[in-house]
Amino acid sequence: MPEQFNSVSIGPRTVLVDFEAMVQDYYSGMQQVDEDVTSAGIQSRSPRKPEENICGLIRNLYSEYVIVISDRDERYRKECETWLQLNDIHSDGLLMRPRGDCSGNANVKMRLYDEQLKGKQPLVWLVIESDFRCMSMWQSEGLTCLYAGRSSNA
């Protein structure tokens, strides 16, 4: 009989997921989420198709806190939340670019991280990122980062 190991529970941790990493057609243009959503009076600028490999991974992180971060303007919060719901993606929070902020994506994400997450419990232990340029930024913070972008983005 094999020896059994005691598992050590370290509690939930935070996974920071770039919204654009979850969407298959982000770089090919924005599309309506779904006819039902649009007919409900929500004008959408959210991509339709999920990137199933990434979304499947996120769906299996049920024991972790999942915070979605986006460089999309805050005015698209409802559309992003609707897209997450329609694609069965649970998140414990959604961080978005402040309205009117025209700074670069990496600057926006770093500011959101500094203001909302850095040093707070549960600590961020993993970032799933679609922007190759943001990889070194996350790594400079000592965070493990998985690149989920397309080769044309590198």
Side-chain angles (χ1 to χ4, degrees):
M1 184 172 247
E3 183 179 333
Q4 293 187 353
F5 296 93
N6 291 332
S7 64
V8 177
S9 175
I10 59 173
R13 301 164 294 181
T14 298
V15 178
L16 188 59
V17 181
D18 176 34
F19 182 84
E20 288 70 26
M22 294 184 285
V23 293
Q24 193 176 80
D25 58 354
Y26 175 71
Y27 295 103
S28 64
M30 305 302 281
Q31 300 177 6
Q32 290 183 340
V33 173
D34 183 276
E35 226 173 86
D36 294 334
V37 174
T38 304
S39 67
I42 302 169
Q43 292 187 356
S44 175
R45 289 182 46 93
S46 290
R48 182 176 294 161
K49 298 177 188 175
E51 180 62 54
E52 279 303 326
N53 290 331
I54 301 300
C55 290
L57 172 65
I58 296 164
R59 287 181 197 113
N60 283 292
L61 294 173
Y62 49 84
S63 65
E64 310 291 345
Y65 288 107
V66 175
I67 303 293
V68 176
I69 189 167
S70 178
D71 57 16
R72 294 169 191 251
D73 194 282
E74 178 69 35
R75 69 179 172 224
Y76 298 112
R77 174 174 293 279
K78 181 68 175 167
E79 289 85 356
C80 290
E81 289 172 343
T82 300
W83 189 91
L84 292 167
Q85 183 180 18
L86 288 172
N87 289 285
D88 196 30
I89 304 295
H90 167 77
S91 75
D92 296 290
L94 174 59
L95 303 178
M96 299 187 74
R97 175 188 296 270
R99 288 180 191 261
D101 184 340
C102 296
S103 54
N105 295 348
N107 290 336
V108 168
K109 289 177 180 180
M110 181 53 71
R111 198 166 39 254
L112 290 169
Y113 172 73
D114 283 343
E115 293 170 0
Q116 308 266 345
L117 300 171
K118 189 173 185 175
K120 296 180 181 170
Q121 296 292 330
L123 296 174
V124 174
W125 71 279
L126 177 65
V127 179
I128 300 173
E129 177 61 63
S130 68
D131 187 336
F132 186 74
R133 295 163 293 194
C134 291
M135 294 287 290
S136 61
M137 175 195 70
W138 296 125
Q139 291 168 338
S140 73
E141 290 294 313
L143 300 172
T144 300
C145 191
L146 299 178
Y147 179 61
R150 295 1 152 243
S151 59
S152 62
N153 191 19

